[in-house]
């Protein structure tokens, strides 16, 4: 097991620190899923992103147990599908059982439920946080307007919004709106959403002696966005975590930003 690397973290309410490099687990199931999470923990990741919908919480739980790491050494996120908006507590209980833990660090509403359920689910999330079953609560795939609605009704703003992000999707206004509200942005599909053969990315990668994938992931960190890349391959899993020995200049960041305007 690799020694813990000092990964930068985003501070969430309640003194919760979210490591800004996490391991995404969508589509990692069964034995290969358990092995991929084992590889990630072995490479140094201390933040794992799963969801009820991924059907792999027990594989994540087994990999955590295999690692021998203490529960408090790993930041664990899971998500409630909006289709379970009327069964929040039972769904969380099932997640905790599958993960083999008494709490998760972050529980997200996977996507916004319709109508009155939008605020009802959020109230249930706050109740579960108050009971200590989750340390921080947030949302995923929400608009800023939907986030504002939750704040208006409950007085509590989500700690995190997990949204699709990549150079092609870069939108400074969306980042600014989250920053104004104190909502941490966690970007998903950082690599899927990028053209890794783009000459801007390959040029910058060449200059730093890293891969275009590492450039894309590092660019997220430069913008203060948490990344959760997924891979099933140990060498990519390790490379996607290896982002702290180089940094991008303001000019390089601006060049990558400009890919969204093509
Ligand atoms: N909240 C939501 O609605 C939502 C939606 C989507 C995803 N997510 C979360 O975000 C995580 C990441 O997103 P994602 O899985 O959609 O996409 P991603 O991490 O951007 O990309 C994964 C793809 O990129 C490949 N890849 C990984 N590392 C690579 C590298 N170094 N070079 C080239 N290709 C590489 C992977 O292939 P191999 O596996 O073959 O290496 C896989 O095909 C998910 O796993 C999930 O945890 C959340």
């Amino acid at each position: 097991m690799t020694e813990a690397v000092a990964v930068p973290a985003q501070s969430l309410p309640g003194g919760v620190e979210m490591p800004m490099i996490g391991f995404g687990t969508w589509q990692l199931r069964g034995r290969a899923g358990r092995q991929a999470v084992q590889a990630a923990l072995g490479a140094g990741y201390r933040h794992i992103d799963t969801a009820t919908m991924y059907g792999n919480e027990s594989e994540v739980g087994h990999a955590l147990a295999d690692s021998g790491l203490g529960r408090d050494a790993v930041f664990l996120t899971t998500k409630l599908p909006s289709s379970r908006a009327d069964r929040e507590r039972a769904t969380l209980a099932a997640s905790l059982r599958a993960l083999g833990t008494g709490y998760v660090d972050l529980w997200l509403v996977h996507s916004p439920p319709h109508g009155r359920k939008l605020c009802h689910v959020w109230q249930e999330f706050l109740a579960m946080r108050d009971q200590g079953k989750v340390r921080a609560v947030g949302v995923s795939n929400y608009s800023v307007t939907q986030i504002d609605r939750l704040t208006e009704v409950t007085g509590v703003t989500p700690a995190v919004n997990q949204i699709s992000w990549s150079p092609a999707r870069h939108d400074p206004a969306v980042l600014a709106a989250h920053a104004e509200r104190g909502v941490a942005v966690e970007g998903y599909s950082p690599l899927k959403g990028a053209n890794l053969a783009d000459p801007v990315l390959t040029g910058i990668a060449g200059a730093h002696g890293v891969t275009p994938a590492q450039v894309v992931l590092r660019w997220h960190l430069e913008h203060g966005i948490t990344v959760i890349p997924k891979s099933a391959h140990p060498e990519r899993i390790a490379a996607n975590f290896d982002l702290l020995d180089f940094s991008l200049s303001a000019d390089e960041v601006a060049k990558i930003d400009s890919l969204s305007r093509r």
Side-chain angles (χ1 to χ4, degrees), residues 6-187:
V7 172
Q10 285 187 287
S11 298
L12 309 181
V16 179
E17 296 288 306
M18 176 170 72
M20 290 183 69
I21 308 173
F23 184 61
T25 68
W26 182 34
Q27 296 172 319
L28 290 172
R29 297 179 71 170
R31 206 157 77 128
R34 180 169 171 172
Q35 286 170 347
V37 179
Q38 285 170 338
L41 294 168
Y45 291 78
R46 293 293 180 267
H47 170 173
I48 308 291
D49 182 82
T50 180
T52 295
M53 267 170 58
Y54 300 169
N56 63 7
E57 287 170 315
S58 73
E59 286 91 327
V60 171
H62 281 117
L64 282 170
D66 299 339
S67 74
L69 289 165
R71 174 62 191 86
D72 59 357
V74 180
F75 185 98
L76 202 48
T77 301
T78 194
K79 314 184 192 84
L80 176 90
S82 60
S83 59
R84 304 258 180 109
D86 48 352
R87 284 162 289 159
E88 299 88 348
R89 294 176 191 223
T91 306
L92 179 61
S95 288
L96 296 179
R97 256 195 320 275
L99 288 163
T101 180
Y103 69 93
V104 287
D105 297 280
L106 180 62
W107 195 29
L108 302 176
V109 191
H110 207 141
S111 57
H114 296 296
R116 292 166 66 173
K117 285 186 179 171
L118 186 81
C119 292
H120 170 80
V121 169
W122 191 235
Q123 276 153 343
E124 288 293 297
F125 265 52
L126 298 179
M128 291 297 95
R129 184 201 58 181
D130 293 346
Q131 285 186 20
K133 295 190 191 303
V134 304
R135 295 179 68 222
V137 282
V139 296
S140 177
N141 299 302
Y142 276 50
S143 67
V144 170
T145 307
Q146 287 167 327
I147 287 174
D148 285 344
R149 178 79 186 131
L150 301 184
T151 309
E152 265 164 41
V153 170
T154 65
V156 183
T157 305
V160 171
N161 192 13
Q162 188 181 108
I163 49 181
S164 179
W165 209 267
S166 68
R169 287 182 169 265
H170 182 62
D171 185 340
V174 170
L175 284 188
H178 284 80
E180 272 165 30
R181 290 160 177 77
V183 180
V185 174
E186 196 179 6

Side-chain angles (χ1 to χ4, degrees), residues 166-255:
S166 68
R169 287 182 169 265
H170 182 62
D171 185 340
V174 170
L175 284 188
H178 284 80
E180 272 165 30
R181 290 160 177 77
V183 180
V185 174
E186 196 179 6
Y188 71 70
S189 303
L191 301 174
K192 262 187 202 159
N195 172 11
L196 298 178
D198 190 291
V200 168
L201 298 177
T202 56
I204 295 172
H208 289 279
V210 297
T211 66
Q214 288 171 312
V215 168
V216 167
L217 297 171
R218 179 73 212 193
W219 168 84
H220 284 74
L221 301 184
E222 303 289 357
H223 276 298
I225 300 170
T226 291
V227 279
I228 45 170
K230 167 264 173 187
S231 176
H233 297 97
E235 66 289 353
R236 285 181 171 175
I237 291 171
N240 294 344
F241 183 71
D242 187 11
L243 308 175
L244 303 176
D245 288 341
F246 73 106
S247 58
L248 302 176
S249 67
D251 183 49
E252 289 170 329
V253 169
K255 275 193 186 138

